[in-house]
Amino acid sequence: MDPRILPFLQAHSTIIVVSSTLALSLTLALKWVRPKPLPGIPHHPITSFWGDLPAMAAAAKQHGTIYELGSFFEQSMRELGPVFQIFIGPFSKTIVITDPREIEDLHLRERSKFIDASDVLIRGFQSTIPLGQVAMKTNDMWRKHRRITAPIVSSKYLNQLAPVIDHNTRLLVEYWEKKIEVVKREGGTCFACAGDFQNSALDTISQIIAGRSLQAIPNAIAHLSTAEPTRNDQGALTFPIPRVALLDATHYLFRCIGDAVTLPPVLSTVYQKALHAELVAAIGDPSIERKPLTFADVSSPEKTPYLEAIVIELLRCARVAEGTSKQTTADITLLGYHIPANTDLIFPMTSNQVNDESMSKVLHSFDHVRSAASKEQGPNARQLWKNGKDFDPERWLVDNGDGTKRFNSRAGFANPFGQGVRACAGKQLALLELKMYIAALNLAFFLDKIPEELSSYAAQINVTRSPIYAYVNPKPWKEVQA
């Protein structure tokens, strides 16, 4: 040994011993400390300190997110059944429930009083909207907030908001008409549209809340003649949006709390034409006279059943919110499994697509442990879908036998806004906006094909799920029908 090292070791012996002990302890901890599963509930093999994190990371790398079809949650549903536990590190205690009947029964009936918003969800929102309903437990303050906001989503108030939404849909249609001219002039194939939906929605929401629009779309229209769009290899144009300080700040806030504006899957030719025919018959042909869209125009399932079916099917498949979460406040039983108090529960929206007839045998094997209320729903009970992964608005329609169809909201499972007392407070306003935007755009345009490289359902998750590729190739209907 080098004689110069000995004095160093003697002087620092305590530090060396402590460091070595800590390193050894940490190594042993990582090797031997394991998540402690709840007894009797299925789970993946526990092979390390990290629990399911490595498998989740691998699935996200392969599929984009752990919620995508074929990714972690679908694989787990098929391997472990409708109730299983996952481990995000050694100390988590999370149960995943994917049986749609049990999820509905838990939120809407007797056991609903034993669940509340999860601590994880609340911590996630308290930094940006600490006094928002989503950042509170179901306490007196939350109930007061809910009572205050309840009139905002009444039919009377929504009827008053419809002209504001209609005004902004008109502006978006005008903006797209001008974009189409630029795309034709530049020899492009399509244009990016995600920013258009976000900015138009922000204009609508700011006008509703503050009485004044942020003017994002009007500013974009005014600057379009001098804008210099970028062009990618597939000929898609991306138009710049003029910078407005308040608009930038609002975009930042939306990114923090979750932007519920997303581009749904592009509708096939058959669905677009069927919807257009229904809307022209019910509302009128805008090429003859552009009438304002009203609350009554888009809120009558008897008059526009296809619009209702398109909207709910878009929400079912788009999965803007990939899941909801709750926390047990007392011991409960789920499909025969004992779940202790203070356990986090996750309800992935993927279950509304995966749980089709291919899962029927597994799900029905739990019928004997369901609640009496769940068993006694009778003919009005929701049914498992056929080919649940497919986009098919026809699944929500029932043939009347006289050549017409009616919308059946209980045809199957889809709960994009959550369920029970903690369901999204703005559900009715969000549905009204979505119906009016889809109706306005469908009346004005046929969405033609775009380059295959850009035609993808690939998604990403910040707080909400949004498309990675969002491009459209709108054409006036007169060009399609010619």
Side-chain angles (χ1 to χ4, degrees):
M1 178 183 294
D2 190 327
R4 290 172 296 180
I5 297 179
L6 188 59
F8 175 83
L9 294 175
Q10 291 174 338
H12 299 85
S13 59
T14 301
I15 295 176
I16 293 171
V17 170
V18 171
S19 299
S20 300
T21 302
L22 287 174
L24 179 61
S25 299
L26 181 59
T27 301
L28 291 174
L30 291 175
K31 184 175 181 179
W32 297 110
V33 173
R34 297 282 191 274
K36 299 297 188 292
L38 295 172
I41 302 176
H43 58 83
H44 294 293
I46 301 172
T47 60
S48 76
F49 174 91
W50 302 108
D52 290 306
L53 282 175
M56 289 180 172
K61 183 177 180 180
Q62 179 181 356
H63 298 278
T65 79
I66 59 175
Y67 293 94
E68 298 306 306
L69 298 177
S71 192
F72 177 80
F73 276 113
E74 180 179 350
Q75 293 173 11
S76 300
M77 290 165 63
R78 296 192 181 280
E79 293 174 14
L80 303 175
V83 178
F84 57 91
Q85 51 190 321
I86 59 173
F87 309 103
I88 307 172
F91 307 114
S92 70
K93 191 167 58 175
T94 303
I95 302 297
V96 180
I97 303 96
T98 64
D99 182 295
R101 282 179 62 189
E102 186 72 356
I103 294 171
E104 182 179 78
D105 193 63
L106 174 65
H107 283 83
L108 302 183
R109 299 184 181 93
E110 180 68 17
R111 289 172 295 173
S112 64
K113 60 187 177 184
F114 302 125
I115 57 175
D116 201 350
S118 70
D119 294 338
V120 173
L121 178 71
I122 289 174
R123 285 195 297 269
F125 286 100
Q126 279 184 336
S127 60
T128 50
I129 46 173
L131 297 180
Q133 294 180 36
V134 72
M136 296 181 183
K137 291 286 188 180
T138 312
N139 52 26
D140 289 342
M141 178 66 76
W142 181 89
R143 294 185 183 91
K144 184 179 293 185
H145 281 216
R146 184 56 67 100
R147 285 196 298 271
I148 292 171
T149 57
I152 297 175
V153 292
S154 65
S155 295
K156 180 180 179 181
Y157 190 73
L158 292 175
N159 187 50
Q160 296 172 4
L161 294 182
V164 174
I165 303 171
D166 175 68
H167 172 72
N168 285 285
T169 65
R170 285 171 177 259
L171 289 173
L172 182 60
V173 168
E174 179 186 349
Y175 186 36
W176 278 20
E177 288 172 342
K178 295 182 181 300
K179 276 189 168 184
I180 291 171
E181 295 175 5
V182 177
V183 171
K184 287 181 178 179
R185 187 171 64 245
E186 298 291 330
T189 58
C190 57
F191 59 82
C193 63
D196 299 345
F197 285 111
Q198 292 170 347
N199 288 315
S200 185
L202 286 173
D203 282 348
T204 301
I205 293 169
S206 61
Q207 194 169 348
I208 289 172
I209 294 175
R212 292 184 61 185
S213 165
L214 290 174
Q215 297 291 303
I217 296 298
N219 281 336
I221 293 173
H223 289 83
L224 193 60
S225 60
T226 58
E228 296 183 0
T230 59
R231 176 175 177 150
N232 66 15
D233 294 339
Q234 290 76 37
L237 303 187
T238 299
F239 292 80
I241 297 291
R243 300 296 296 272
V244 180
L246 182 58
L247 182 61
D248 289 345
T250 309
H251 271 297
Y252 174 75
L253 179 61
F254 262 49
R255 286 195 298 271
C256 289
I257 64 175
D259 181 2
V261 181
T262 188
L263 180 67
V266 175
L267 304 180
S268 74
T269 299
V270 173
Y271 299 144
Q272 289 190 68
K273 289 184 175 181
L275 178 60
H276 186 72
E278 176 183 273
L279 293 175
V280 167
I283 299 171
D285 190 342
S287 66
I288 300 174
E289 180 185 3
R290 173 61 164 92
K291 300 177 182 177
L293 284 174
T294 66
F295 175 73
D297 286 336
V298 297
S299 301
S300 304
E302 300 81 11
K303 186 167 67 171
T304 54
Y306 213 87
L307 177 63
E308 297 286 338
I310 288 282
V311 167
I312 189 61
E313 185 70 352
L314 286 173
L315 289 170
R316 187 184 75 89
C317 293
R319 306 192 314 273
V320 178
E322 277 289 22
T324 57
S325 64
K326 293 290 188 293
Q327 188 172 355
T328 56
T329 58
D331 290 10
I332 62 172
T333 300
L334 294 173
L335 293 181
Y337 296 109
H338 174 75
I339 312 295
N342 300 314
T343 300
D344 288 325
L345 308 176
I346 293 178
F347 312 96
M349 292 297 177
T350 313
S351 63
N352 291 322
Q353 289 180 275
V354 175
N355 279 318
D356 57 14
E357 290 187 339
S358 68
M359 296 287 286
S360 176
K361 185 176 181 180
V362 173
L363 297 179
H364 283 306
S365 69
F366 288 87
D367 285 351
H368 67 288
V369 292
R370 297 184 188 278
S371 71
S374 180
K375 294 177 183 178
E376 295 169 2
Q377 291 186 55
N380 290 324
R382 300 180 192 272
Q383 303 299 316
L384 295 177
W385 296 121
K386 293 181 179 178
N387 304 316
K389 293 183 181 181
D390 296 342
F391 176 84
D392 180 14
E394 297 280 348
R395 67 174 81 246
W396 297 93
L397 300 174
V398 179
D399 195 332
N400 288 323
D402 58 359
T404 63
K405 294 182 179 181
R406 68 182 185 275
F407 174 69
N408 178 16
S409 63
R410 291 191 59 82
F413 293 95
N415 51 307
F417 296 97
Q419 301 181 77
V421 295
R422 297 288 306 208
C424 177
K427 171 184 175 179
Q428 298 305 325
L429 176 58
L431 284 172
L432 177 62
E433 285 191 68
L434 189 55
K435 289 176 186 178
M436 292 187 74
Y437 270 88
I438 288 175
L441 292 173
N442 179 263
L443 282 168
F445 306 113
F446 173 79
L447 301 183
D448 210 348
K449 292 181 179 180
I450 62 175
E452 187 174 347
E453 299 89 338
L454 304 177
S455 182
S456 169
Y457 295 137
Q460 58 192 352
I461 297 178
N462 294 316
V463 176
T464 53
R465 185 173 183 264
S466 59
I468 295 175
Y469 301 97
Y471 297 90
V472 288
N473 180 21
K475 292 183 177 179
W477 280 98
K478 62 183 179 182
E479 296 183 13
V480 178
Q481 296 164 346

